[in-house]
């Protein structure tokens, strides 16, 4: 019986991590990080 609770807990953790990592907050963080990592010459070419 304890094994089922462990399995259910792991499933819940995966669900929560999936929701957090694909939400609006995560997309905003990814966009800000991409802007910081972009090379200056790439920014000039696209006009950003």
């Amino acid at each position: 019986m304890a094994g089922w609770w462990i399995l259910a807990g792991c499933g819940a953790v995966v669900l929560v991590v999936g929701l957090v990592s694909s939400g609006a907050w995560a997309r905003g963080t990814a966009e800000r990080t991409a802007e910081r990592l972009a090379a200056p010459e790439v920014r000039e070419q696209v006009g950003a």
Side-chain angles (χ1 to χ4, degrees):
M1 185 70 174
W4 287 108
W5 285 111
I6 293 171
L7 187 62
C10 290
V13 168
V14 168
L15 179 64
V16 169
V17 169
L19 291 173
V20 169
S21 66
S22 63
W25 172 79
R27 277 190 297 266
T29 301
E31 289 173 2
R32 287 191 301 275
T33 302
E35 289 175 4
R36 290 180 184 173
L37 295 175
E41 58 273 4
V42 173
R43 288 187 200 150
E44 292 172 7
Q45 290 177 359
V46 296

